[in-house]
Amino acid sequence: MVSLATSTFSRNLCPRPSLPYAVRALGTTLLRLHPKPTSWGPLSSSLKSCSAHFSASNFKFSKSPNETLGSRDDLVVLGIETSCDDTAAAIVRSNGDILSQVVSSQADLLARYGGVAPKMAEGAHMQVIDQVVQDALENANLTERDLSAVAVTIGPGLSLCLRVGVQKARKIAGSHNLPIVGVHHMEAHALVARLIEKDLQFPFMALLISGGHNLLILARDLGHYIQLGTTIDDAIGEAYDKTAKWLGLDMRRSGGPAIEELAREGDAKAVKFSTPMKQHKDCNFSYAGLKTQVRLAIESRNINAEIPISSASSEDRSSRADIAASFQRVAVLHLEERCERAIEWALKIEPSIKHLVVSGGVASNQYVRAQLDQVVKKKSLQLVCPPPSLCTDNGVMVAWTGLEHFCMGRYDPPPPANEPEDYVVCLKILIAYG
Ligand code: KG4
Ligand code: ZN
């Protein structure tokens, strides 16, 4: 039996004064929970559409819906995140208490392959997922039976990796008749700010900066987002990671933190990099050109990435530090310029906006935070930056976003307790920006 589970974040599309209408399908991913190549059939005939998403009508809670939805403080949700290289789980209560948070990172794999290798990452997720979830439950002094719902990232991300989390979530939800909430990874990065800043009401702006995304959005309401800008090529996190790799830095904590640390030793004006997209008066981003500028600067200084920074001469080290600092200055200046314009745009649409949320892995960078704080102050707004452990990928953001949707009645019914191993899930993530 095959079925289609769809999670749709589109809400009513409101008229917009100045921005072109855009609806973006951020990804459709078919996930086979345990791949059995022989049983793959043509998708059109093997998938049956099921419109049960975000609907409370067609299944029974173990608790009554009124009891569950009415008493928000009693809800306890497990969040599972496996979209990239971190296996994360957390348990969050609807009053905002974080009962536990566990992250298992693939640092060694990252260092060995210089980036994320999907098949390796999938294997690493499979190895640790049971333990990570178990630890999250134990640290919260709970069992699966105590949960109100299970939330899981369904994209965007590496499909091989996503399915490990989805499979685990469906197994738990199926065994205990729990509703399941499919979570959009980038929405989770934005909404976790509402967990830490209780005054953060809609509408607000968000700059989401990670390894794969650069997004500037106006969040009008839960599930209703206007995209003000996105990257036309690479994301800033990718530029940090490549720069770190080419500079021979220790990649075990990913490239961003390594560049941030080395940049403190360097002269940010030493290397003249040009700021991307100066002539484009919009809010989009581009980091491919800056990456090329960095690569050329590294080549022209004969820096050898094979020699780790720890073994470099002091002259070599200071040359690498200058490149790290100069790269960081321009990479972040690009964010500053786009944010300033986006704030002007957004205030025309929603004059009541008071906050800019900055989240995603790159938002854990202190220099990024300090520079964006200045921009936001200049525009008389307030910066909301989750603590670093909630900026990089984590289960808390998934649990919290699951809670937000769950409380609005948007969730899937529990999967069958005995779901077949070769069950195929179609994760269709559609965000409507309107
Ligand atoms: O959100 P995230 O944990 O995973 C994705 O969704 O991609 O973001 C990971 C990205 C990586 O590119 C990593 O290098 C970057 O965030 N990052 C940083 C810092 N910490 C993580 N970039 C700059 N400075 C940091 N301190
Ligand atoms: Zn992320």
Side-chain angles (χ1 to χ4, degrees):
M1 146 72 182
V2 264
S3 171
L4 178 72
T6 308
S7 183
T8 307
F9 295 144
S10 63
R11 285 281 142 305
N12 48 334
L13 303 175
C14 300
R16 282 191 286 142
S18 59
L19 298 166
Y21 174 87
V23 176
R24 305 253 142 93
L26 288 190
T28 302
T29 315
L30 284 172
L31 300 186
R32 177 174 292 278
L33 297 184
H34 279 297
K36 284 188 186 159
T38 48
S39 56
W40 274 108
L43 299 182
S44 52
S45 63
S46 67
L47 290 175
K48 192 176 86 178
S49 179
C50 152
S51 58
H53 64 281
F54 298 149
S55 146
S57 58
N58 52 356
F59 80 102
K60 271 197 146 85
F61 282 109
S62 41
K63 300 166 186 166
S64 85
N66 283 345
E67 179 200 347
T68 311
L69 297 179
S71 45
R72 282 193 55 144
D73 282 4
D74 285 350
L75 301 179
V76 176
V77 169
L78 164 68
I80 298 176
E81 157 62 44
T82 61
S83 66
C84 192
D85 56 335
D86 290 320
T87 317
I91 296 177
V92 177
R93 201 182 279 286
S94 42
N95 65 0
D97 285 352
I98 298 172
L99 304 184
S100 64
Q101 183 181 5
V102 179
V103 182
S104 167
S105 84
Q106 301 177 6
D108 290 343
L109 286 180
L110 265 183
R112 202 176 328 146
Y113 296 100
V116 182
K119 197 71 197 148
M120 302 292 166
E122 178 201 25
H125 283 303
M126 281 162 67
Q127 262 179 25
V128 300
I129 185 77
D130 287 345
Q131 192 61 51
V132 165
V133 170
Q134 188 55 35
D135 288 353
L137 286 162
E138 276 175 23
N139 294 352
N141 283 320
L142 296 175
T143 69
E144 291 174 358
R145 244 168 282 129
D146 301 314
L147 298 171
S148 313
V150 182
V152 60
T153 303
I154 58 170
L158 301 168
S159 57
L160 286 175
C161 298
L162 286 165
R163 79 166 174 211
V164 178
V166 171
Q167 178 188 21
K168 180 71 183 170
R170 293 183 73 84
K171 204 166 160 203
I172 296 172
S175 309
H176 300 279
N177 197 34
L178 296 170
I180 189 159
V181 191
V183 168
H184 189 286
H185 183 82
M186 299 314 289
E187 187 186 33
H189 271 308
L191 293 188
V192 74
R194 280 164 52 84
L195 166 67
I196 53 131
E197 176 59 68
K198 296 286 185 287
D199 290 341
L200 181 60
Q201 305 290 339
F202 293 104
F204 61 87
M205 288 184 66
L207 170 70
L208 308 175
I209 37 180
S210 67
H213 292 87
N214 255 67
L215 275 177
L216 256 168
I217 59 169
L218 163 51
R220 299 191 105 165
D221 204 347
L222 183 65
H224 182 190
Y225 308 104
I226 295 176
Q227 181 180 297
L228 304 170
T230 185
T231 181
I232 61 165
D233 43 53
D234 295 325
I236 184 170
E238 152 73 13
Y240 266 95
D241 292 337
K242 281 288 163 8
T243 301
K245 188 174 166 188
W246 295 332
L247 287 175
L249 307 191
D250 181 355
M251 296 290 288
R252 268 175 300 181
R253 293 171 305 152
S254 79
I259 291 285
E260 180 178 14
E261 199 177 306
L262 184 63
R264 291 197 195 105
E265 297 173 26
D267 172 2
K269 297 274 176 65
V271 188
K272 304 274 172 272
F273 294 131
S274 53
T275 318
M277 297 186 83
K278 272 283 191 202
Q279 68 285 17
H280 294 267
K281 305 293 177 206
D282 59 24
C283 297
N284 285 332
F285 302 89
S286 165
Y287 281 96
L290 180 58
K291 264 168 62 182
T292 304
Q293 292 184 66
V294 168
R295 188 171 49 75
L296 294 175
I298 290 171
E299 281 169 13
S300 73
R301 284 162 183 76
N302 292 321
I303 291 167
N304 182 357
E306 303 284 306
I307 302 172
I309 184 93
S310 50
S311 313
S313 67
S314 67
E315 194 188 340
D316 185 3
R317 185 181 177 98
S318 104
S319 163
R320 296 187 202 204
D322 285 349
I323 291 174
S326 303
F327 156 75
Q328 177 164 263
R329 188 182 75 81
V330 172
V332 177
L333 184 57
H334 188 32
L335 296 180
E336 292 166 46
E337 291 180 352
R338 293 349 236 186
C339 279
E340 200 165 330
R341 179 173 294 123
I343 292 171
E344 285 161 17
W345 283 13
L347 285 173
K348 283 190 189 134
I349 304 169
E350 293 276 10
S352 62
I353 289 170
K354 294 194 175 49
H355 298 95
L356 172 72
V357 169
V358 183
S359 185
V362 182
S364 52
N365 181 300
Q366 295 305 321
Y367 179 75
V368 170
R369 288 168 178 247
Q371 294 301 111
L372 291 174
D373 193 41
Q374 285 181 23
V375 172
V376 164
K377 284 209 175 98
K378 201 158 77 184
K379 298 287 179 189
S380 305
L381 297 187
Q382 218 180 305
L383 187 75
V384 181
C385 239
S389 65
L390 297 183
C391 281
T392 49
D393 289 352
N394 63 86
V396 173
M397 68 183 196
V398 179
W400 178 254
T401 303
L403 266 162
E404 291 237 32
H405 282 289
F406 185 59
C407 290
M408 298 298 284
R410 301 173 194 160
Y411 45 82
D412 285 332
N418 52 354
E419 191 163 82
E421 297 240 310
D422 61 350
Y423 186 87
V424 176
V425 186
C426 172
L427 303 178
K428 188 174 174 199
I429 308 161
L430 181 70
I431 283 217
Y433 300 102

